[in-house]
């Protein structure tokens, strides 16, 4: 694959993205539970997996550096 470009976010933007991704993952959980169609369920599980991984990486980064980069 190609290297992904970095996305520079302010601490506020990062916090909002973590919250939105968390909500998306929760919504996908419910949709997966209520979906009977096997192929659609598989697609939803793939989406949940990707979004959950991004959410975890951002949340861990936020915990490791809650203040964000030092301000000058």
């Amino acid at each position: 694959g190609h290297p992904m470009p970095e996305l520079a976010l302010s601490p506020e933007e990062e916090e909002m993205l973590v919250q939105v991704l968390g909500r998306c993952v929760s919504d996908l959980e419910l949709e997966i539970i209520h979906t009977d169609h096997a192929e659609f369920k598989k697609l939803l599980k793939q989406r949940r997996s990707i979004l959950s991984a991004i959410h975890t990486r951002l949340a861990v980064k936020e915990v490791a550096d809650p203040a964000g980069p030092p301000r000058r």
Side-chain angles (χ1 to χ4, degrees), residues 5-18:
E6 292 254 340
L7 177 63
L9 298 172
S10 72
E12 294 84 10
E13 290 169 332
E14 205 167 293
E15 184 180 336
M16 184 177 291
L17 188 54
V18 168

Side-chain angles (χ1 to χ4, degrees), residues 47-61:
R47 286 183 182 173
R48 178 190 59 189
S49 176
I50 292 167
L51 290 174
S52 185
I54 295 168
H55 178 258
T56 300
R57 286 183 5 221
L58 279 172
V60 166
K61 182 175 180 254

